[in-house]
Structure formats: structure tokens, C-alpha cells
Amino acid sequence: MSPFPGSASDLRISGEAFYRERILLPDDGTLVVGLLELSGSSVLGATTVSPSGQVPISFTLSVASDQVPAGRNHGLRARIVADGKIWFTSDVLLPLDPRNEEKQPSLLLVRHHDEPDSSTSAALPLGITSATPRPNTSLTRRGFVAGT
């Protein structure tokens, strides 16, 4: 709880992102990491890192705690963008409890295959657009994930 009424403390998520391919990251390569609410695919916070070297790339993402709804499922997604195009992306959302500061997520990125709109989607936060299908999932009383 914040000592000041009306203010929210930051939740900090520190981790690293990497890829397995033996490809040098270009000088203008940047890592974009976002925290998503899985029920609505809304981006709760994001950070951009311009690495000083090669992978793994360390990141720290800060989000105001009042922006992270309690009792909902959250996940991390990342991508590396260079020359205005997506080079690598996480192919799955990494489930994460942003209030658990002890966990240091490690995001495996895979080579992104060119798509007709890959240059325009690189500029968008994590490629989430109105055309992106939004998952409809929920957690059952027994702790199972249900939905599409």
C-alpha cells in the first residue's frame, strides 16, 4: 500500500529475452516487452530497450499497481524490431503474476517470418490491433483455463 493517498506504487518486472539463432543483432535493434491482461489482450505496460550488446537482453518493466487488475491472468510478450521490421517475437504469452517480484522471467524469442503487414505492425505496441483475435478465456473454480 502506498504511503500517499491516491498514488499507486510501481510493480517492477525484471527479466531477460533471448533467441537461439546465431544472428547478430543490428545496431538499431530494439527489444519491446509488454505486460498484457490475458482476458482482454489489453497492454497494461510496455518498455523498450536498446541493447548495448547481444542476447540475452535484460529488461525492467514498471507498471503502476492500480493498472494491474487483481484476480486476472497476465502474461508477457516480447519482440525485437530492427530496420522497422520485426526480427524476433515470442510465439506464446508467458504467464506471469506481476505482483510476484521474485520471479525473473526469461523470454525465448523465435524468428519472425515476414508477413505482408510486418513493417507496419512493428511500430504498434506488440502488434495488438483490432484485427488481432482476442482470446476469450476464464479460470474455472477448479483452477482450469477454459475458453477459446
Side-chain angles (χ1 to χ4, degrees):
M1 178 165 264
S2 174
F4 304 105
S7 69
S9 62
D10 279 349
L11 300 173
R12 295 173 54 89
I13 302 166
S14 294
E16 65 182 17
F18 68 98
Y19 53 85
R20 293 182 180 154
E21 289 82 352
R22 296 183 70 184
I23 299 173
L24 289 176
L25 189 62
D27 292 337
D28 69 337
T30 57
L31 171 69
V32 180
V33 180
L35 175 66
L36 286 75
E37 179 187 332
L38 300 182
S39 62
S41 291
S42 57
V43 178
L44 303 175
T47 189
T48 302
V49 178
S50 296
S52 59
Q54 297 298 316
V55 293
I57 303 168
S58 297
F59 66 87
T60 299
L61 186 143
S62 296
V63 181
S65 61
D66 62 350
Q67 296 295 313
V68 180
R72 298 207 179 147
N73 295 323
H74 302 94
L76 287 178
R77 181 158 187 192
R79 63 176 41 167
I80 293 177
V81 178
D83 301 323
K85 295 184 180 180
I86 302 168
W87 278 44
F88 293 92
T89 187
S90 49
D91 59 348
V92 295
L93 289 170
L94 178 67
L96 178 84
D97 177 3
R99 297 178 193 282
N100 180 359
E101 294 182 18
E102 293 179 15
K103 183 165 184 167
Q104 303 243 335
S106 186
L107 297 164
L108 172 62
L109 306 180
V110 296
R111 187 82 170 131
H112 179 75
H113 299 288
D114 287 335
E115 296 174 6
D117 64 346
S118 66
S119 61
T120 57
S121 64
L124 299 172
L126 304 172
I128 297 172
T129 65
S130 59
T132 302
R134 299 189 183 273
N136 181 16
T137 60
S138 62
L139 195 59
T140 67
R141 289 184 190 190
R142 293 184 177 166
F144 295 104
V145 176
T148 57

